[in-house]
Amino acid sequence: MIDKINQLKAEIEAVTAANIDEVEALRIKYLSKKGAITSLMQDFRTVPTEQKRELGQKLNELKTIATERLAALREALENSDTVDSDLDLTRTAAPLPLGSRHPLSLVKDEIIAIFSRLGFTIAEGPEIEDDWHVFSSLNFAEDHPARDMQDTFFIEHHPDIVLRSHTSSVQSRVMESNQPPIRIICPGRVYRNEAISARAHCFFHQVEALYVDENVSFADLRQTLLYFARE
Protein backbone atom coordinates (compact mmCIF):
# COMPACT_ATOMS: atom_id res chain seq x y z
CA MET A 1 0.00 0.00 0.00
CA ILE A 2 2.92 2.31 0.69
CA ASP A 3 4.05 1.80 -2.91
CA LYS A 4 0.58 2.83 -4.17
CA ILE A 5 0.63 5.96 -2.00
CA ASN A 6 4.11 7.00 -3.20
CA GLN A 7 3.18 6.34 -6.84
CA LEU A 8 -0.02 8.36 -6.52
CA LYS A 9 1.86 11.18 -4.76
CA ALA A 10 4.39 11.47 -7.61
CA GLU A 11 1.55 11.40 -10.16
CA ILE A 12 -0.39 14.18 -8.42
CA GLU A 13 2.66 16.41 -8.04
CA ALA A 14 3.27 16.19 -11.79
CA VAL A 15 -0.29 16.85 -13.02
CA THR A 16 -1.09 19.91 -15.14
CA ALA A 17 -4.30 21.37 -16.52
CA ALA A 18 -5.07 23.58 -19.51
CA ASN A 19 -8.46 24.79 -18.25
CA ILE A 20 -10.88 24.68 -15.31
CA ASP A 21 -12.70 21.65 -16.70
CA GLU A 22 -9.50 19.61 -16.59
CA VAL A 23 -8.94 20.66 -12.97
CA GLU A 24 -12.44 19.44 -12.12
CA ALA A 25 -11.73 16.15 -13.89
CA LEU A 26 -8.59 15.72 -11.78
CA ARG A 27 -10.55 16.46 -8.60
CA ILE A 28 -13.05 13.74 -9.49
CA LYS A 29 -10.21 11.34 -10.32
CA TYR A 30 -8.40 11.77 -7.02
CA LEU A 31 -10.72 13.29 -4.38
CA SER A 32 -14.31 12.30 -5.21
CA LYS A 33 -16.20 9.52 -3.45
CA LYS A 34 -15.01 7.10 -6.13
CA GLY A 35 -11.59 8.69 -6.48
CA ALA A 36 -8.20 7.07 -6.07
CA ILE A 37 -7.47 8.54 -2.63
CA THR A 38 -10.91 7.59 -1.31
CA SER A 39 -10.34 4.06 -2.57
CA LEU A 40 -7.04 3.88 -0.66
CA MET A 41 -8.78 5.08 2.51
CA GLN A 42 -11.30 2.29 2.15
CA ASP A 43 -8.46 -0.21 1.82
CA PHE A 44 -6.93 1.32 4.94
CA ARG A 45 -9.50 -0.48 7.07
CA THR A 46 -7.93 -3.82 6.20
CA VAL A 47 -4.39 -2.72 7.14
CA PRO A 48 -2.84 -4.44 10.17
CA THR A 49 -3.04 -2.44 13.38
CA GLU A 50 0.72 -1.96 13.68
CA GLN A 51 0.80 -0.25 10.24
CA LYS A 52 -2.21 2.03 10.67
CA ARG A 53 -0.29 4.91 12.29
CA GLU A 54 2.30 5.17 9.52
CA LEU A 55 -0.12 4.61 6.65
CA GLY A 56 -2.70 6.96 8.15
CA GLN A 57 -0.15 9.80 8.23
CA LYS A 58 0.88 9.12 4.63
CA LEU A 59 -2.76 9.04 3.43
CA ASN A 60 -3.51 12.36 5.15
CA GLU A 61 -0.36 13.84 3.63
CA LEU A 62 -1.39 12.55 0.18
CA LYS A 63 -4.86 14.08 0.48
CA THR A 64 -3.36 17.42 1.55
CA ILE A 65 -0.92 17.39 -1.38
CA ALA A 66 -3.74 16.62 -3.85
CA THR A 67 -6.00 19.35 -2.43
CA GLU A 68 -3.27 22.00 -2.52
CA ARG A 69 -2.08 21.01 -6.00
CA LEU A 70 -5.57 21.23 -7.51
CA ALA A 71 -6.25 24.52 -5.72
CA ALA A 72 -3.01 25.97 -7.14
CA LEU A 73 -3.92 24.85 -10.66
CA ARG A 74 -7.38 26.39 -10.36
CA GLU A 75 -6.06 29.70 -9.03
CA ALA A 76 -3.44 29.96 -11.79
CA LEU A 77 -6.03 29.36 -14.50
CA GLU A 78 -8.55 31.80 -13.00
CA ASN A 79 -5.91 34.54 -12.80
CA SER A 80 -4.77 33.94 -16.36
CA ASP A 81 -8.35 34.24 -17.61
CA THR A 82 -8.64 37.75 -16.20
CA VAL A 83 -5.47 39.09 -17.88
CA ASP A 84 -5.81 40.43 -21.39
CA SER A 85 -3.16 38.83 -23.58
CA ASP A 86 -2.64 42.21 -25.31
CA LEU A 87 -2.20 44.09 -22.03
CA ASP A 88 1.26 45.55 -21.48
CA LEU A 89 1.93 44.86 -17.82
CA THR A 90 5.08 47.03 -17.91
CA ARG A 91 3.10 50.23 -18.56
CA THR A 92 2.65 52.73 -15.77
CA ALA A 93 -0.85 52.95 -14.37
CA ALA A 94 -2.71 55.86 -15.99
CA PRO A 95 -3.68 57.77 -12.79
CA LEU A 96 -0.04 57.93 -11.62
CA PRO A 97 1.32 61.50 -12.01
CA LEU A 98 4.60 61.56 -13.92
CA GLY A 99 5.73 65.10 -13.17
CA SER A 100 5.09 68.44 -14.83
CA ARG A 101 5.83 69.99 -18.20
CA HIS A 102 8.98 72.05 -18.75
CA PRO A 103 8.51 75.86 -18.52
CA LEU A 104 9.87 76.29 -22.06
CA SER A 105 7.25 73.87 -23.39
CA LEU A 106 4.50 75.69 -21.51
CA VAL A 107 5.57 79.08 -22.89
CA LYS A 108 5.93 77.74 -26.44
CA ASP A 109 2.49 76.14 -26.32
CA GLU A 110 0.98 79.39 -25.05
CA ILE A 111 2.60 81.36 -27.90
CA ILE A 112 1.37 78.79 -30.45
CA ALA A 113 -2.15 79.00 -29.03
CA ILE A 114 -2.19 82.81 -29.33
CA PHE A 115 -1.06 82.79 -32.96
CA SER A 116 -3.43 79.93 -33.77
CA ARG A 117 -6.34 82.16 -32.80
CA LEU A 118 -5.06 84.61 -35.44
CA GLY A 119 -5.09 81.92 -38.13
CA PHE A 120 -1.38 81.04 -38.10
CA THR A 121 -0.29 77.43 -38.54
CA ILE A 122 2.87 75.79 -37.23
CA ALA A 123 5.83 75.07 -39.52
CA GLU A 124 8.93 73.17 -38.43
CA GLY A 125 12.24 72.28 -40.05
CA PRO A 126 15.56 70.56 -39.33
CA GLU A 127 18.01 71.95 -36.79
CA ILE A 128 20.95 70.78 -38.92
CA GLU A 129 20.70 72.91 -42.06
CA ASP A 130 22.53 73.76 -45.25
CA ASP A 131 23.99 77.15 -46.16
CA TRP A 132 21.29 77.87 -48.74
CA HIS A 133 18.33 77.78 -46.37
CA VAL A 134 20.11 79.50 -43.46
CA PHE A 135 22.02 82.23 -45.33
CA SER A 136 22.05 82.40 -49.13
CA SER A 137 18.29 82.25 -49.77
CA LEU A 138 17.88 85.11 -47.28
CA ASN A 139 20.48 87.29 -49.07
CA PHE A 140 23.16 87.09 -46.38
CA ALA A 141 26.31 88.55 -47.87
CA GLU A 142 29.42 86.38 -48.11
CA ASP A 143 31.17 88.55 -45.52
CA HIS A 144 28.18 88.69 -43.14
CA PRO A 145 29.29 88.18 -39.50
CA ALA A 146 26.79 85.34 -39.08
CA ARG A 147 28.86 83.28 -41.53
CA ASP A 148 31.96 83.54 -39.33
CA MET A 149 33.17 80.50 -37.44
CA GLN A 150 33.08 82.39 -34.16
CA ASP A 151 29.33 83.01 -34.49
CA THR A 152 27.94 79.85 -36.10
CA PHE A 153 28.47 76.14 -35.54
CA PHE A 154 29.72 74.70 -38.82
CA ILE A 155 29.51 70.91 -39.11
CA GLU A 156 30.88 70.52 -42.64
CA HIS A 157 32.40 72.69 -45.37
CA HIS A 158 31.81 72.48 -49.13
CA PRO A 159 28.90 72.24 -48.96
CA ASP A 160 28.47 74.16 -45.73
CA ILE A 161 26.31 72.37 -43.14
CA VAL A 162 25.50 74.31 -39.97
CA LEU A 163 23.38 74.26 -36.86
CA ARG A 164 20.72 76.79 -37.77
CA SER A 165 21.21 80.21 -36.23
CA HIS A 166 17.56 81.23 -36.65
CA THR A 167 14.27 79.63 -37.65
CA SER A 168 14.15 81.76 -40.80
CA SER A 169 15.39 78.64 -42.59
CA VAL A 170 11.93 77.17 -41.97
CA GLN A 171 10.40 80.15 -43.76
CA SER A 172 12.70 79.47 -46.75
CA ARG A 173 11.57 75.87 -46.91
CA VAL A 174 7.88 76.79 -46.66
CA MET A 175 8.15 79.40 -49.44
CA GLU A 176 9.93 76.88 -51.70
CA SER A 177 7.05 74.43 -51.50
CA ASN A 178 3.97 76.61 -50.98
CA GLN A 179 2.26 79.42 -52.85
CA PRO A 180 0.77 82.44 -51.02
CA PRO A 181 -1.24 83.07 -49.01
CA ILE A 182 1.13 81.93 -46.27
CA ARG A 183 0.52 82.53 -42.59
CA ILE A 184 2.86 80.51 -40.36
CA ILE A 185 4.87 80.63 -37.16
CA CYS A 186 8.20 78.80 -36.86
CA PRO A 187 8.95 77.84 -33.25
CA GLY A 188 12.17 75.96 -32.56
CA ARG A 189 15.62 75.69 -31.10
CA VAL A 190 18.52 77.61 -32.68
CA TYR A 191 22.27 77.71 -32.06
CA ARG A 192 24.86 80.44 -31.64
CA ASN A 193 28.55 80.04 -30.85
CA GLU A 194 28.62 81.88 -27.53
CA ALA A 195 30.32 81.36 -24.19
CA ILE A 196 27.87 79.76 -21.77
CA SER A 197 27.08 81.99 -18.82
CA ALA A 198 24.20 83.03 -16.60
CA ARG A 199 23.08 85.37 -19.40
CA ALA A 200 23.73 83.29 -22.53
CA HIS A 201 23.86 79.77 -23.84
CA CYS A 202 24.97 78.08 -27.05
CA PHE A 203 21.33 77.39 -27.96
CA PHE A 204 18.07 79.18 -27.29
CA HIS A 205 14.46 79.07 -28.41
CA GLN A 206 12.90 81.34 -30.98
CA VAL A 207 9.54 81.90 -32.67
CA GLU A 208 9.33 83.64 -36.04
CA ALA A 209 6.20 84.47 -38.00
CA LEU A 210 5.65 84.84 -41.75
CA TYR A 211 2.55 86.38 -43.34
CA VAL A 212 2.45 86.65 -47.14
CA ASP A 213 -0.79 87.70 -48.83
CA GLU A 214 -2.41 90.49 -50.80
CA ASN A 215 -3.26 93.72 -48.97
CA VAL A 216 -1.01 92.87 -45.99
CA SER A 217 0.76 95.91 -44.55
CA PHE A 218 2.69 97.07 -41.52
CA ALA A 219 -0.68 97.81 -39.94
CA ASP A 220 -1.29 94.03 -39.82
CA LEU A 221 2.15 93.53 -38.28
CA ARG A 222 1.52 96.18 -35.64
CA GLN A 223 -1.92 94.81 -34.79
CA THR A 224 -0.60 91.24 -34.59
CA LEU A 225 2.19 92.23 -32.23
CA LEU A 226 -0.23 94.32 -30.13
CA TYR A 227 -2.68 91.42 -29.84
CA PHE A 228 0.14 89.03 -28.94
CA ALA A 229 1.54 91.37 -26.25
CA ARG A 230 -1.89 91.89 -24.70
CA GLU A 231 -2.57 88.13 -24.64
Side-chain angles (χ1 to χ4, degrees), residues 1-14 30 36-45 47 51-66:
M1 188 172 184
I2 291 180
D3 291 340
K4 289 183 178 180
I5 293 174
N6 291 336
Q7 182 180 355
L8 199 57
K9 178 182 176 182
E11 181 181 327
I12 291 172
E13 288 177 339
Y30 296 116
I37 296 177
T38 305
S39 177
L40 284 177
M41 288 185 171
Q42 290 174 352
D43 294 341
F44 176 73
R45 290 178 293 186
V47 171
Q51 297 179 8
K52 283 186 180 292
R53 181 181 179 86
E54 180 185 1
L55 290 175
Q57 290 177 348
K58 288 186 176 297
L59 279 173
N60 288 332
E61 180 185 358
L62 178 63
K63 185 175 182 179
T64 301
I65 291 173

Side-chain angles (χ1 to χ4, degrees), residues 73-111:
L73 289 173
R74 182 182 295 274
E75 182 180 0
L77 289 169
E78 287 176 348
N79 289 338
S80 65
D81 288 342
T82 61
V83 176
D84 186 351
S85 59
D86 295 328
L87 181 63
D88 183 2
L89 298 179
T90 64
R91 290 186 60 186
T92 304
L96 185 65
L98 297 177
S100 58
R101 303 193 66 189
H102 194 280
L104 285 174
S105 298
L106 295 174
V107 172
K108 185 181 79 170
D109 289 346
E110 184 178 0
I111 292 172

Side-chain angles (χ1 to χ4, degrees), residues 186-203:
C186 313
R189 188 161 50 184
V190 297
Y191 301 84
R192 196 68 56 81
N193 189 7
E194 294 185 5
I196 298 176
S197 66
R199 291 176 173 269
H201 204 282
C202 61
F203 70 85

